[in-house]
Amino acid sequence: MDLFSPLSVGSLNLKHRIVLAPMTRIRADENTLAPTELTALYYSQRSSSGGFLISEAVHISPEATPIWPIYQSVRELGGQVPGIWTEAQTNAWKMVTRAVHARGGLISCQLLHAGRVAQPEIGEHPLVHDGGFPIPSVCSSATPIVHSNEVGNDYNWDQKSVTPRALERHEIARICQDYQHAAKNALAAGFDAVELHAAHGYLIEQFLADGVNKRNDSYGGSVRHRCRILFEIIEALIDVVGPNRLGVRLSPVASNSHNKQVYFGVTHSNPESVYEYVVESLNQYKLAYLLLTEPRVGGLSNCTDSLLESSPPLSAKYRKIYKGVMMGAGGFNPNSAKEAIDRGHYDLIAFGRWFLSNPDLVARLKGGDDLNIYHRASFYGGGEQGYTDYPDIQALRNQSLSAIEQVPQNMIG
Ligand SMILES: Cc1cc2nc3c(=O)[nH]c(=O)nc-3n(C[C@H](O)[C@H](O)[C@H](O)COP(=O)(O)O)c2cc1C
């Protein structure tokens, strides 16, 4: 197998194995929290015939929606994350799916509930105010995010963190309905699939992890109880989209000190017992795909390089457990991606940052061309700069001087 061999993923027929990883860009319309024409252009630029894109995290309800003043660029330039709970948001997403489809691409909508990472201030937004919506922040238990300087802690959490409210048992059915509502809207908006974001320390992982989940009802305590909400949400989503249009994202971590990554302060005493159970149990659903985050994304975390390099790939363990299509993300470069596919470690590779800065990444990987270097300062918030203005190869050839530097593929290590 190579990166350019075709693959059926649930009901989707892909022509290659290079996927756009989900990436929050915090550029939704401030009033509607909907994607804009610029969003459609961004996804369209990254589309290719038979290529698979995963949207940025799209929020299922006001309660699910964080605001991101932790990023200086958002403080300076503004920006919101998009939702998919209103009709206007759903209609705006149609612009995106049409633009992707026009170029022969396919796109999944990543659905997120951020749990305790979201802030109550969203309740003051005109779209939410007086709407009778539950507002943040909710969690498995009333466990606040504790800022930690420990190696492996991810973001420098310097924004106000409120103590979240523990969801009442009866509210879990409402959370499942919120996911269903969002998934129906995603299908109405023309998405080809839906991805459940169960990774990176957001609501679902806040249930899975015993460092956060202190409940003593049937959603807390044992591994099976802590994972219950995940499977209830998966089943609720399958009722709407079917298993072969549903993907799930997980970010398994390990308890040993070499492979330890902590997302938003979410800690586990024995993560292996959780993730082995979850991945094994996912087999029963025959999902379109499972996306795993390799815990080696230094740029987004405080993990040291040596810690990251010493981490054995997750695929080594989970490939043996999981029977379906497996996608890997996190720190792949052109060579390691080729190798991961050649050796069968993963079926698909999702590129984040290199796809962000190279709209025509698929063609560049095929042609061996140099890659544009990404600029972290424009990852989040703002407008077209660092979003839709990265040049493709054609634009570079037509320009004698580019503001964006390039790097040869074999120099990316
Ligand atoms: C700007 C940015 C935003 C991200 N937002 C999301 C997101 O919304 N949902 C998600 O699951 N992962 C998100 N991630 C993680 C990426 O999907 C991916 O796992 C990460 O970038 C590592 O892959 P890379 O080394 O190819 O960049 C984000 C990463 C970046 C760089």
Side-chain angles (χ1 to χ4, degrees), residues 21-24 57 110 197 200 249 297 300 330-331 351-353 379-380:
M23 279 182 291
T24 291
Q110 190 190 57
H197 191 344
H200 305 168
R249 182 167 209 181
V297 186
L300 292 177
F351 284 93
R353 292 160 294 177
F379 277 1
Y380 302 109

Side-chain angles (χ1 to χ4, degrees), residues 211-228:
V212 179
N213 184 343
K214 306 292 178 191
R215 302 174 75 97
N216 51 20
D217 63 5
S218 57
Y219 292 93
S222 66
V223 168
R224 200 166 55 84
H225 280 188
R226 279 183 272 135
C227 297
R228 182 187 302 269

Side-chain angles (χ1 to χ4, degrees), residues 21-245:
M23 279 182 291
T24 291
R25 306 303 311 277
I26 319 192
R27 284 165 165 92
D29 182 275
E30 300 266 355
N31 297 317
T32 58
L33 307 184
T36 65
E37 282 175 15
L38 207 58
T39 320
L41 176 61
Y42 166 78
Y43 285 104
S44 148
Q45 289 173 333
R46 283 152 187 78
S47 306
S48 60
S49 175
F52 191 42
L53 313 183
I54 305 172
S55 77
E56 62 210 273
V58 180
H59 301 80
I60 64 166
S61 63
E63 179 196 71
T65 306
I67 42 184
W68 290 103
I70 51 170
Y71 297 115
Q72 192 186 341
S73 52
V74 174
R75 287 198 294 269
E76 285 170 6
L77 305 170
Q80 296 277 7
V81 289
I84 193 158
W85 71 84
T86 72
E87 202 180 329
Q89 290 163 351
T90 305
N91 286 335
W93 280 111
K94 286 181 187 163
M95 288 189 298
V96 173
T97 62
R98 281 187 196 128
V100 171
H101 293 157
R103 298 198 58 202
L106 299 151
I107 182 163
S108 182
C109 181
Q110 190 190 57
L111 298 182
L112 178 63
H113 190 311
R116 68 178 185 170
V117 177
Q119 303 81 11
E121 283 78 6
I122 195 78
E124 292 156 22
H125 192 285
L127 200 60
V128 180
H129 195 56
D130 296 336
F133 296 103
I135 58 160
S137 57
V138 298
C139 185
S140 51
S141 301
T143 317
I145 299 173
V146 177
H147 176 63
S148 154
N149 287 321
E150 203 190 325
V151 170
N153 179 54
D154 57 354
Y155 299 83
N156 290 313
W157 186 260
D158 63 358
Q159 79 183 69
K160 189 175 64 179
S161 168
V162 297
T163 299
R165 182 175 69 78
L167 281 165
E168 303 279 341
R169 199 177 182 290
H170 68 87
E171 286 181 282
I172 310 268
R174 195 256 306 158
I175 299 276
C176 289
Q177 283 161 11
D178 288 346
Y179 273 102
Q180 286 187 316
H181 175 68
K184 280 180 195 155
N185 285 348
L187 291 185
F191 281 99
D192 303 286
V194 158
E195 177 177 301
L196 176 62
H197 191 344
H200 305 168
Y202 295 110
L203 182 70
I204 295 175
E205 205 190 1
Q206 293 160 24
F207 271 84
L208 303 187
D210 56 358
V212 179
N213 184 343
K214 306 292 178 191
R215 302 174 75 97
N216 51 20
D217 63 5
S218 57
Y219 292 93
S222 66
V223 168
R224 200 166 55 84
H225 280 188
R226 279 183 272 135
C227 297
R228 182 187 302 269
I229 190 169
L230 168 65
F231 299 119
E232 289 186 358
I233 294 169
I234 288 175
E235 286 164 23
L237 287 173
I238 286 176
D239 282 349
V240 174
V241 303
N244 53 15
R245 286 187 187 275

Side-chain angles (χ1 to χ4, degrees), residues 326-346:
M326 237 168 71
M327 186 190 308
F332 284 98
N333 60 47
N335 287 332
S336 62
K338 276 182 205 132
E339 201 179 295
I341 297 291
D342 288 350
R343 296 193 176 177
H345 294 166
Y346 284 109

